Amino acid sequence: MNAPHPPKVAGIDPTVPPPTHTVAPAPPAPEAGPAPDAPAGTPPPVTAPDAPGSLLQDRLAGWVSDLTTLHELTERMCRTSALDTALEELLRAGAALVGARRGLVVWEPGDGLGPRTTVGHGLGRADLGHLETVPREALLTSTADLLAEPGLDPRHREVAARLGYAAGHAVPLATDDARLGTAVWLYDEPAAPDEHHRHLIGRYLHQAAEHLALLLEVERTRAYAATLTGELLPSRLPRLPGVQLAVRHRTGPRGGGDWYDALPLPDAALGLSVGSVTGGGPGAVAAAGRLRASLRAYAVMEGEDPVAVLSDLELLLRLTEPARSATALFAYCEPAARRITLAGAGHSPPLLTGERRTEYAETSLSAPLGMLACWEAPSVEFRVAPGETVLLYTDGLLRRTGEPMDRAFARLRSAAASVPRALRGDPGAVADHVLATLLPGDTARGDEDVVLLAARFG
């Protein structure tokens, strides 16, 4: 009669041999007597006992192995800097610890503030879609054998058969203060981790949850900063005869103080402005919003005189925020005549690009706002040829190239000159081409904001 097979237990290595202390002890050796040729009265030789502490050494070796594994996995988790990447690493490490091939994390912060998402390991988007149809309570419950579960939800049974898994091990993700979600690992056959591996995954998730909680706060802070910045900028660009507008705005990690604006003015005129406040973070974002709102008011009252607009903005900044400085450029555009009058305060000059030329507009030099005793720089006036596009931008576009400013200016001009003829009729396509050429793959260095405002005159 064959001996019954031991139950299958999931773990890091299900083929690990049993520890040495479980092997049946060998029968005791017969007591040795004195050697045949030894003189009478000689005591028998003393045999060496088994190595003392072998059991303890085995246990210590196992503990060291577990600690090494946990250290390596925790170190990999701590090297992640984005929430999505960290969740993928958690699933990968957990699958190795519990011996599963697939798994998913249902990310649902207990405070209800989000973000809420589901990340899979070894599961495609269609697989995750099927799992989303399973009731959460049923999906996020450990089950060693789904087919043998008497009260299994019918939809869960159907999805399990479709995806080919027969068991699941669910572990909550939580810190001492907050619940973050649940991780579930799926087995192809009925199985469950033993007590040892449940302890390992528990220790790992305890450390991982603390790191995930920190990344969650970073993610929320960035989202709040992006929302705040977006609310302080125009929700849409105006539509005026004779001019087409497009803008591209990228916020840096800290949330910088770059802004832009496009404002319809009396007599079918258009006011365009870009600017940047020193510093970063919420303070700079709020300061940029105040300056932009003030500039709009000055532009409505005296927009045809850009010098007066920036002079008022300079006075406001010195009186209300003496510790800050800012750069700004304001252009008063007359689309029907294709005439632009502009003034700048410490800001980079606009770039004109078309089929026949790509060149920087000549602007008078001026110090940034907040650093002038009085306003002395005059405005400049120029005309735009039909079909040409004027590019207004912030210095972040140049700095994020990681090159010296003179080379960055040359690269920007080259990028604008290389716009294909078929794209020149669309200012959005022109802006996209310039960004893709100047900052390929968005792998640019630096944390500055980027603003690129394109105005094409017909």
Side-chain angles (χ1 to χ4, degrees):
M1 180 175 180
N2 294 331
H5 293 287
K8 182 174 181 179
V9 177
I12 299 177
D13 186 0
T15 61
V16 174
T20 54
H21 65 275
T22 62
V23 178
E31 184 175 347
D37 54 350
T42 302
V46 179
T47 58
D50 293 338
S54 61
L55 177 59
L56 179 59
Q57 289 178 2
D58 291 341
R59 290 181 177 177
L60 287 176
W63 292 340
V64 169
S65 176
D66 291 344
L67 290 175
T68 301
T69 300
L70 290 176
H71 173 75
E72 293 176 352
L73 295 178
T74 304
E75 190 177 52
R76 289 174 60 95
M77 169 62 70
C78 291
R79 286 199 294 264
T80 59
S81 58
L83 187 58
D84 289 345
T85 306
L87 292 177
E88 293 172 359
E89 172 60 27
L90 178 140
L91 285 172
R92 188 202 64 79
L97 288 175
V98 301
R101 186 171 62 89
R102 294 175 290 180
L104 68 151
V105 169
V106 178
W107 184 256
E108 296 176 323
D111 55 12
L113 299 179
R116 298 164 63 96
T117 184
T118 300
V119 179
H121 173 73
L123 297 168
R125 295 181 60 182
D127 298 337
L128 290 176
H130 289 302
L131 291 169
E132 288 285 351
T133 65
V134 178
R136 288 295 173 89
E137 183 178 355
L139 180 63
L140 306 182
T141 302
S142 296
T143 307
D145 189 347
L146 290 172
L147 299 179
E149 186 73 19
L152 184 65
D153 183 90
R155 180 56 184 167
H156 195 185
R157 187 186 307 276
E158 178 183 346
V159 171
R162 177 187 294 269
L163 301 185
Y165 66 89
H169 180 65
V171 184
L173 289 175
T175 64
D176 295 336
D177 304 320
R179 180 180 64 85
L180 303 176
T182 306
V184 184
W185 286 275
L186 305 175
Y187 298 98
D188 296 343
E189 300 177 0
D194 59 16
E195 181 179 356
H196 173 68
H197 294 112
R198 288 198 299 269
H199 173 74
L200 287 181
I201 192 64
R203 297 299 302 172
Y204 172 73
L205 292 182
H206 177 75
Q207 299 296 328
E210 296 293 338
H211 182 68
L212 290 170
L214 293 177
L215 293 181
L216 175 62
E217 291 300 318
V218 173
E219 187 90 1
R220 287 176 172 176
T221 301
R222 289 177 176 172
Y224 293 155
T227 301
L228 176 61
T229 302
E231 291 298 324
L232 294 176
L233 296 174
S235 58
R236 60 181 180 178
L237 298 175
R239 294 183 178 181
L240 295 176
V243 63
Q244 297 174 276
L245 301 174
V247 68
R248 300 294 183 263
H249 179 220
R250 298 180 183 178
T251 304
R254 296 188 302 159
D258 287 11
W259 86 85
Y260 65 91
D261 205 353
L263 177 66
L265 297 174
D267 301 325
L270 173 68
L272 299 177
S273 67
V274 291
S276 179
V277 175
T278 55
V285 173
R290 290 191 292 269
L291 285 180
R292 171 181 167 267
S294 302
L295 189 146
R296 289 174 70 92
Y298 299 145
V300 170
M301 293 186 294
E302 48 193 3
E304 68 279 358
D305 186 358
V307 170
V309 172
L310 293 186
S311 296
D312 293 341
L313 201 62
E314 153 77 15
L315 179 60
L316 175 71
L317 187 63
R318 282 197 288 118
L319 292 179
T320 59
E321 300 187 62
R324 285 194 184 276
S325 64
T327 66
L329 187 146
F330 177 73
Y332 179 80
C333 307
E334 299 170 84
R338 295 191 302 276
R339 182 168 53 233
I340 298 177
T341 306
L342 65 84
H347 206 82
S348 300
L351 179 62
L352 289 80
T353 180
E355 291 187 5
R356 295 189 177 183
R357 64 170 176 171
T358 298
E359 60 187 27
Y360 290 99
E362 294 185 6
T363 57
S364 54
L365 297 177
S366 171
L369 300 174
M371 302 178 66
L372 295 171
C374 62
W375 192 274
E376 298 179 354
S379 62
V380 296
E381 181 180 310
F382 57 90
R383 290 182 180 270
V384 182
E388 288 189 329
T389 300
V390 179
L391 299 177
L392 308 181
Y393 52 93
T394 56
D395 290 346
L397 178 63
L398 304 174
R399 293 197 179 97
R400 290 186 73 172
T401 63
E403 296 184 352
M405 293 300 286
D406 56 342
R407 294 188 59 185
F409 274 114
R411 284 192 58 192
L412 174 57
R413 182 181 181 278
S414 177
S418 67
V419 176
R421 177 177 298 181
L423 301 180
R424 290 190 175 275
D426 181 0
V430 172
D432 290 335
H433 178 86
V434 169
L435 285 176
T437 304
L438 200 63
L439 308 177
D442 200 18
T443 56
R445 291 163 287 182
D447 57 0
E448 294 88 356
D449 284 11
V450 171
V451 168
L452 180 59
L453 178 61
R456 181 184 182 274
F457 292 83

